[in-house]
Amino acid sequence: MKAVYQLTRPALLWQLLMVMAVLLPHSLRLPWWLPLMTLGALGWRLWVHLGRTSFPHWSVKFMMAVTAGIGVIMSIGRGNGPELAVALLFAGFSLKLLEIYKRRDALVLIYVAYFLAATELLFGQTLLHALYVGLALLLITAALNAVYQSERHPDFWRPLRASVRLLLPALPLMVVLFVLVPRIGPLWYAPLAREEARTGLSDTLSPGDVSRLTGSSEVAFRVEFDRGRPPRPAELYWRGLTYDRFDGRRWQAESDRALLPSAQQRPASGALLRYRITQEPSGQPWVYGLDYPVAAPWPLRMQANQTLRAPSKIRQRVDFALESRLSSQSDQPLSTFQRQRYLALPETGNERARALALSWRAEDASTEGLVARALALYGAAFRYTLTPERLGADSIDEFLFDTRKGFCGHFASSLTFLLRAAGVPARIVGGYLGGEWNPYESYLVVRQFEAHAWTEVWHEGRGWVRIDPTAAVAPERIEQSAEQLLSTQPGFLADTPLSPVRFGHIGWITALRMRTDALNFVWHRWVLSYQLRQDTLLQKLFGELTLWKLALALLVPFSLVLGWVALGLLRQRRPRAKDPVDAALLGLSARFERRGLGRRPGEAVGAYADRVALARPDLAPLIGTVARLYEQLRYAQVGEARLQRAYQAAVRACVRQL
């Protein structure tokens, strides 16, 4: 049988803790069988350590590696790069447990554990993720120290204490480097598959799409206003995209790459609001801005429909400083192409709605009159619900004349259709309405269940005017938060049944949720997005930035920490105090040496005691006791304190009779 490298018991336990610490955050993300395989490999390694079995043959390990690799690829899919890479690494990490023959193999496992612990930050960058990864690094370093621990004096807690001593000096240096060193963007980026699956508005809108978002309490974005408090709830329309083309069943958002002319970028009325929006990954390129955005900061682009669009899909949390006005007015006429675009309808279908629109137009052709008739119809006979009935091919007709129950998407879709059928340019705007104010850090949180859709109507001389037909049916949706209005509806937060938002009626849960969110928001603002505030902070700390100031700011803390570390190393080089057992024997030997009975070099303690007993028979019992207790102390496993007390007493008695 091949010789087995036997880890000490503390080293094996630290390896076990290390593997569990790395496995835990990934366990729900990996294929279900992979964590079980890791636990099985751990059990096998423990069984080997206890001498109950041996390491598997190389052919068995080869077959296990091939099977695990194929299983991971089949479970995750080849297109999901980072997830697949982490899962494959985890499979190899687990199987490596079964071939730790030498210290080198244990070190390979530890170095892979460092990398796997860091990969957790690919999937989450909250404060909790960072703290957990820091704890995992501490445990992995303890496992590293345990591998080098002496086999003669194994101690379970000593590797952890050594890890703390190693990592503590690194913390102030890490802070200094974080604060002073400029940030550079990542040299590479690999999108995560789960980012593409984020909830949120898509570029198509059909009846029921918006209501499905009310099942999620995920955060869409957070907003900080320069003047502190946000506008009234009824003014918090967050514009994301417009749906322009209708195919008879669903509305399609078409990219409009034409930049908005400069004259139209600044609406003529409404107070100017400055704010910073922190948008969560959406897997879509549009950026939400308070209706109506004034300009597009780099690298965003303002489209002709006055929406903001990023150059690529948003796959990580981003910050933008935006400006908006709460009303829009433009005297620019629609071009022929735009007019045709916002009047376009399928040639057939929804005939009853077309007839109704034409009849209204025959009675009153003004845009105001048509809008007023539509809103009066909604307010008189329609109901607002999260669970509307399914609609067929002529969805507009069925909603207007049969079901008459719907969510904001139903009302916006039908109103836009009626106005276009009556010859008035109209479009649907998708976004969010409202938000929850967090008083602990003074910012607004907008969640997915606050998704909303409304209609914009073209008025000659005024431009696009927002008409929200939902307000005619459920005016409380405009004035109240979505949580207050929808919490009693059966489909509300159906996708996140354990969300703390569901328990908004319990005060302490709401306060705890807001404080936790505020803490993560501060973490994002000052750590994850620190580069946006780095210049301002450094100017506050140092005034005018010069090379000498930055050099001193780096050198002083580094010198202090390195000096402290050097002092600690020098103290470790001092000769250590002698073992009290040896010190007592040396003292006794020195006293005998004055009488010609000193201990010879290399002489065993028992032989030395026999020689002294021959020369001084009166001391034979005492010197014999000293020798016996000395040997017991050197080989005893338990009761050392009692033996030491007896040994020291025998030495003192021998000295007194000498």
Side-chain angles (χ1 to χ4, degrees), residues 14 32 81 128 170 188 221 253 324 401 410 438 458 504 562 621 623 630:
W14 280 114
W32 63 269
L128 187 61
W188 55 272
F221 53 87
S324 292
F401 302 102
H410 295 75
N438 190 317
W458 178 260
L562 292 179
I623 194 66
Y630 179 87

Side-chain angles (χ1 to χ4, degrees), residues 27 107 204 302 400 455 510 524 542 594:
S27 56
L107 293 178
T204 60
M302 175 80 82
L400 286 176
T455 300
T510 301
H524 170 79
F542 304 108
R594 296 171 194 162

